[in-house]
Amino acid sequence: MLKAAKQTAYENSIDIRWIYTKYGAMLLGYIQGILKHQPSAEKQLIKVLSSYISNHSNLTTEKVTWLHLRQYTQQQLLAFEFKSLDIQPQHNSNKQDDSSLSLLTETERNIFSEIYYHGKTATYLSGVLNLSENEIRSQLKSSLDKIRNAHGN
């Protein structure tokens, strides 16, 4: 006589399929919103879920919340090397902007470009560049002052 395997519903133990089913779409959207590149976001989703399961295998399904998973993902993405993806100054064809940006130091230029042209926040850049938010804001203020002074304002 054949014996059938007993199939049970998800109990309290954590399972990657349960997390993926419940939070996968939201998590992919969150990661894609940060990375702005679909294939990279999908790869990061796999890495995040795999590392989450290995690091939190003792959690139960009641303790896994969207907030907890999102915070873990944010920590993983900050550990991910953003400098090769995001923090590259954009070169504009406008000669006036190029001459203004040439007055700035490399750090000031990166901060100014990311905040002004790409809409990044000081909080985000402080995590990426390993500087305090106050340092980011003072660098931005300094770069704005240099640009204003160069244009006679």
Side-chain angles (χ1 to χ4, degrees):
M1 182 181 254
L2 295 174
K3 291 187 178 183
K6 183 178 179 183
Q7 294 181 352
T8 58
Y10 296 110
E11 295 177 10
N12 287 340
S13 64
I14 193 169
D15 185 25
I16 195 167
R17 291 172 294 179
W18 179 83
I19 292 175
Y20 182 80
T21 302
K22 187 160 182 167
Y23 299 112
M26 290 189 301
L27 199 56
L28 179 62
Y30 176 74
I31 295 170
Q32 191 173 351
I34 293 172
L35 297 181
K36 309 280 190 238
H37 189 250
Q38 178 77 22
S40 296
E42 291 171 355
K43 288 177 185 175
Q44 281 302 115
L45 176 67
I46 293 168
K47 289 178 184 177
V48 165
L49 288 178
S50 300
S51 68
Y52 186 83
I53 290 298
S54 65
N55 293 338
H56 297 90
S57 59
N58 59 345
L59 287 179
T60 62
T61 55
E62 290 89 30
K63 292 183 181 177
V64 177
T65 63
W66 166 245
L67 178 63
H68 185 257
L69 193 59
R70 193 188 65 150
Q71 287 173 341
Y72 180 80
T73 303
Q74 187 175 21
Q75 291 170 352
Q76 292 296 312
L77 291 176
L78 284 176
F80 182 67
E81 195 63 39
F82 276 118
K83 291 183 181 180
S84 64
L85 289 176
D86 282 339
I87 308 299
Q88 296 175 356
Q90 294 288 329
H91 297 288
N92 297 325
S93 59
N94 189 345
K95 290 184 182 180
Q96 186 178 13
D97 284 345
D98 284 344
S99 66
S100 298
L101 291 179
S102 66
L103 299 171
L104 308 176
T105 65
E106 184 67 27
T107 306
E108 288 175 336
R109 192 177 314 118
N110 284 339
I111 291 171
F112 179 80
S113 297
E114 292 300 317
I115 290 177
Y116 187 74
Y117 295 120
H118 301 290
K120 303 288 196 260
T121 63
T123 305
Y124 172 80
L125 288 177
S126 69
V128 172
L129 297 174
N130 294 325
L131 298 170
S132 70
E133 282 186 55
N134 289 334
E135 180 67 22
I136 298 287
R137 287 189 177 98
S138 68
Q139 295 263 347
L140 179 63
K141 183 181 182 312
S142 171
S143 62
L144 288 172
D145 289 342
K146 287 180 182 179
I147 292 171
R148 284 185 193 125
N149 290 338
H151 292 291
N153 293 339

